[in-house]
Amino acid sequence: MLTPEILNALKQYTVDMQQAVTLVVQTGEHAKREELMTMLNQFASISDKIIVEERDNNARLRSPVTFELEVAGEPTGISFSGVPGGHEFNSFILAVLQSGGVKLKLDDAIQKMVAKVKTPSKFQVYVSLSCHACPDVVQAMNQFALLNDNIEVEMIDGGVYPDLVEENGIQGVPTVFMNGEVFASGQVDTAKLVSKLTDARPEMLEADDSVEKLPLQDVTVIGGGPAGVAAAIYAARKGLKVTIVADRFGGQVKDTMGIENLISVPKTTGPELTTSLMTHLNDYEVNLREHLRVTDIQKGKVKTLTLSSGEVIDTRTLIVATGANWRKLNVPGEDENIGNGVAYCPHCDGPFYKGKDVAVIGGGNSGVEAALDLAGIVKSVTVYEFMPELKADQVLINQIEKRSNISVVKNAATKEVIAEGGKVVAIDYTDRETQEVKRQNLQGIFVQIGLVPNSQVLKDVVDLTSYGEVIINEKGETSEEGIYACGDVTTVPYKQIVVAMGEGSKAALAAYDYLLMQPSEDENAENKGASQAA
């Protein structure tokens, strides 16, 4: 049921629609149909550009709780199977607005790449309405469909279609199928989707001379998390030409549901903080290239960056704030069972393990927080910690001691993930005190053992530690002149949001000081002309 407040807020957004959108619903009976029709009709009541129509169209629509979007009598390629509530409500609203002519959010370079797909590509995106990572995938894929008539996208709520979940062996969301084959699963952002699509559809990488090259930038920031955004804002406040390249705006923070240690903000969530970061960034003239990766960095007085779209950016200074990703166990059975019992996001995949026995590998803050989140859903949680004691904050340890369905195994070294019939059934671990190998039967494993720095593109560019962290000094300077780094990708010991913000600001100030000591573009041109004349 949509409240009057929600409907009034949505009405403001529909003002920008340029054309009518028809929501075509498959006829028939279903336990969820009344809920679906109520939501669609309430939404349609706010604008004459939104029309609800029931139609018998089994050839295109899966069931009586499937609907698709049409414009001018033609399918847009976007459909929803289930009631798109919860986290998917925004996906539904955006799909209608964008089908109606509201500007797409994808970078222009990505739009041009997607438009080149020539082969019919039908996608199904399996989601859970409690999954906060799923909407990013659904929203990106829906835009792909609007950009190219060869692409169709169907969101499928796994809770409404458990038979399909069972049939396809799905144990994690989002899971994306393309033409009946698994295309992507688990934590996947728009940049990764584009990368996978280019692998499957090479024509997307055909040269495009229509992409206008940016002028020489003073500062280019790689990374859109707290460190990267802080760096971009501080640089922009100095009046510099700034570009920020972010494969996923918000970075790792976007996956954090509870944030209570950002000083002056008693409590927030990752998605809320990410929105605030974007709002603050939009106050300044910063060129944002979102959903793109830097694939190559050429050193020099002017640094040259190549993006995953093929675009090239020249910049006088570079600030690296690429953050980190979940660290893997690197044991047999892990990679083979991602999405089939091995997961990294308890918020996304926890609902798939309702009433089951699961393990959390890692006894730090993230591991204990994951155990607490899962305890309200699953039958039991066992936390495995490699060290003799848990590393989490005492306030979190106190909480798990109050939960009857959470147990802790210390001095445990994970040895192997055991699967049968394509699903995880157990874990083997070594007791580090006795060296005895033990087995625990379970149905799911959530890996929470820290982070790996995203520094692959920096190999042979700046000095790295053996762990891949960028070595920096107290100013954020790296081994290469004019290149700075900040946040979780660096040797700074404390991987905290507030620390990352401070480090990003410091790196930008250091880059500004460096630029003050360099010849201006005009001086460089004069010196070059004088040299040639001589």
Side-chain angles (χ1 to χ4, degrees), residues 226-267:
V229 173
I233 288 174
Y234 262 70
R237 286 175 61 84
K238 293 294 186 180
L240 301 174
K241 296 176 185 174
V242 183
T243 288
I244 181 169
V245 181
D247 59 353
R248 183 170 185 249
F249 195 87
Q252 198 80 358
V253 160
K254 200 170 184 179
D255 301 326
T256 305
M257 286 298 99
I259 299 172
E260 299 179 355
N261 56 358
L262 181 57
I263 308 307
S264 84
V265 182
K267 189 172 184 178

Side-chain angles (χ1 to χ4, degrees), residues 295-347:
T295 59
D296 183 68
I297 300 173
Q298 294 296 316
K299 301 184 288 186
K301 205 68 176 177
V302 171
K303 293 87 174 110
T304 299
L305 313 182
T306 302
L307 308 190
S308 52
S309 61
E311 182 182 359
V312 173
I313 296 176
D314 292 328
T315 184
R316 299 174 69 197
T317 63
L318 175 64
I319 298 177
V320 179
T322 45
N325 275 323
W326 297 117
R327 184 182 298 277
K328 290 187 177 182
L329 293 166
N330 293 320
V331 299
E334 179 183 17
D335 286 345
E336 299 89 331
N337 293 289
I338 293 175
N340 291 306
V342 175
Y344 300 86
C345 179
H347 307 292

Side-chain angles (χ1 to χ4, degrees), residues 94 111 249 271 510:
L94 278 172
Q111 292 190 35
F249 195 87

